[in-house]
């Protein structure tokens, strides 16, 4: 029963929030303009959370995604005057390189993913400030780069990547191996699965998606900001866990993660419409995360709670 509730908590929460906010502010919340805003605002979180899903499925964590978003977006913004919208492709490339570094530290350095990515969080954020001097990098007003962040392009990008990675997770050996490693890594090693290689690829994937999200956010903001993405790692982890992927790994759903991202975006949007303080929003997001963990965590896989 507990596992069933954890798997479907995102869908239950989504319906409940729409009903609650729809009843409290029907003219505002349920308007087409506001619903479009929710989809637009949730796009970046969806992209970053999709990459985080694979990391959590194998039982690891990536705390660097917010900083990787910032450095990727800034570098893309700096290249925009000469490359136009093609500069957008730089963002996921930079993100993948940072993900590769995370994976290498984790696998070959034998540093826990929590520590390795926490260090990268500081490194990437510091590099962003150094490169920009602490000031936003503006995108020229006539640049085609803006097209990437113009509705409905961001959510079309989300749909494409969600379908692609959903298929990878459920229809390929890559996804099968990821689930197997998260479920029982020792057994996966005995069976000869390429555990090290797959973990590095998964961290590269997480970095790539963080960079992609950073590129979209930069297009939406009109500049590459050294402060963008702050706190995004916690939002992404929350979206994944709310979506039914337990922190213990071994199972997960891309669709669930997308729904979890929408839950967080709707929660923030609805409370803004009702005039509720952002501090209360932060508290409620934390409460939702804790409840999701309580419902989804597989306690039989934990020998000791640390």
């Amino acid at each position: 029963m507990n596992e069933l509730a954890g798997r479907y908590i995102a869908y239950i929460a989504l319906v409940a929030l729409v009903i609650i906010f729809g009843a409290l502010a029907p003219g505002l919340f349920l308007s087409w303009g506001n619903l479009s805003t929710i989809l637009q605002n949730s796009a970046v979180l969806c992209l970053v959370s999709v990459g985080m899903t694979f990391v959590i499925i194998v039982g690891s964590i990536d705390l660097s995604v917010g900083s990787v978003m910032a450095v990727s977006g800034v570098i893309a913004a700096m290249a925009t005057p000469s490359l136009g919208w093609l500069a957008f492709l730089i963002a996921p490339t930079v993100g993948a390189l940072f993900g590769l570094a995370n994976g290498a530290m984790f696998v070959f350095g034998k540093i826990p993913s929590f520590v390795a990515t926490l260090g990268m969080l500081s490194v990437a954020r510091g590099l962003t400030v150094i490169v920009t001097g602490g000031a936003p990098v503006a995108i020229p007003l006539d640049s085609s780069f803006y097209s990437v962040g113009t509705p409905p392009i961001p959510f079309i990008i989300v749909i494409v990547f969600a379908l692609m990675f959903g298929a990878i997770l459920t229809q390929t050996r890559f996804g099968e191996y990821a689930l197997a490693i998260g479920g029982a890594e020792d057994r996966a090693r005995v069976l000869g699965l390429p555990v090290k290689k797959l973990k590095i690829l998964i961290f590269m994937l997480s970095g790539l998606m963080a960079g992609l999200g950073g590129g979209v956010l930069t297009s939406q903001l009109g500049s590459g900001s050294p402060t963008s993405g702050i706190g995004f790692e916690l939002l992404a982890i929350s979206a994944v866990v709310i979506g039914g992927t337990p922190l213990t790994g071994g199972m997960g759903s891309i669709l669930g993660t997308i729904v979890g991202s929408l839950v967080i975006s709707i929660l923030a949007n609805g409370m803004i419409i009702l005039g509720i303080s952002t501090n209360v929003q932060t508290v409620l997001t934390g409460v939702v995360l804790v409840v999701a963990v309580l419902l989804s965590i597989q306690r039989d896989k934990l020998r000791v709670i640390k």
Side-chain angles (χ1 to χ4, degrees):
M1 182 65 180
N2 188 64
E3 181 179 339
L4 188 65
R7 186 175 300 177
Y8 295 106
I9 184 174
Y11 305 94
I12 297 170
L14 180 65
V15 173
L17 288 174
V18 170
I19 292 174
I20 292 171
F21 290 131
L24 294 175
L28 294 174
F29 180 77
L30 294 178
S31 67
W32 174 247
N34 186 59
L35 294 178
S36 298
T37 298
I38 291 173
L39 292 179
Q40 170 77 352
N41 292 343
S42 67
V44 174
L45 180 56
C46 286
L47 291 171
V48 179
S49 300
V50 165
M52 183 71 77
T53 302
F54 281 87
V55 174
I56 293 180
I57 281 175
V58 296
S60 298
I61 206 77
D62 187 351
L63 297 179
S64 69
V65 292
S67 296
V68 171
M69 286 174 61
V71 69
S72 300
V74 161
I75 293 175
M78 295 175 72
T80 299
S82 57
L83 296 180
W85 74 268
L86 289 174
F88 174 75
L89 301 178
I90 292 176
T93 303
V94 171
L97 292 175
F98 275 92
L100 174 60
N102 278 332
M105 286 190 293
F106 173 44
V107 172
F108 299 118
K110 299 184 185 299
I111 303 173
S113 60
F114 177 91
V115 177
T117 58
L118 182 61
M120 186 59 76
L121 178 155
S122 297
V123 170
R125 185 67 63 182
L127 286 174
T128 306
V129 174
I130 291 172
V131 168
T132 63
V137 179
I139 297 173
L141 293 176
D142 60 348
S143 175
S144 58
F145 192 92
Y146 285 103
S147 62
V148 180
T150 303
I153 300 300
F155 214 73
I156 290 176
I157 294 174
V158 170
I159 292 172
V160 170
F161 277 88
L163 289 174
M164 181 168 62
F165 287 122
I168 288 174
L169 180 61
T170 60
Q171 305 295 326
T172 69
R173 286 189 177 180
F174 183 91
E176 182 183 346
Y177 290 172
L179 293 168
I181 292 170
E185 185 171 330
D186 291 341
R187 188 180 304 170
R189 292 182 186 277
V190 171
L191 292 173
L193 300 188
V195 176
K196 291 183 178 181
K197 179 180 178 181
L198 189 134
K199 283 186 174 181
I200 291 175
L201 288 174
I202 282 177
F203 273 95
M204 285 185 66
L205 171 61
S206 179
L208 183 148
M209 296 304 290
L212 185 65
V216 172
L217 182 60
T218 297
S219 177
Q220 292 175 337
L221 296 176
S223 65
S225 172
T227 61
S228 66
I230 291 178
F232 233 85
E233 52 280 337
L234 297 181
L235 290 177
I237 292 170
S238 299
V240 175
V241 174
I242 292 169
T245 301
L247 289 174
T248 43
M251 60 180 290
S253 164
I254 298 299
L255 176 59
T257 293
I258 298 297
V259 175
S261 301
L262 289 173
V263 166
I264 292 175
S265 299
I266 288 174
L267 184 63
N269 176 271
M271 287 191 289
I272 289 174
I273 287 176
L274 296 178
I276 299 174
S277 167
T278 55
N279 294 325
V280 176
Q281 296 176 32
T282 302
V283 171
L284 289 179
T285 301
V287 170
V288 171
L289 172 60
V290 172
V291 171
V293 170
L294 286 172
L295 291 175
S296 67
I297 196 167
Q298 296 171 303
R299 290 172 177 78
D300 58 322
K301 293 179 63 175
L302 296 176
R303 296 179 182 177
V304 179
I305 303 296
K306 299 182 179 180

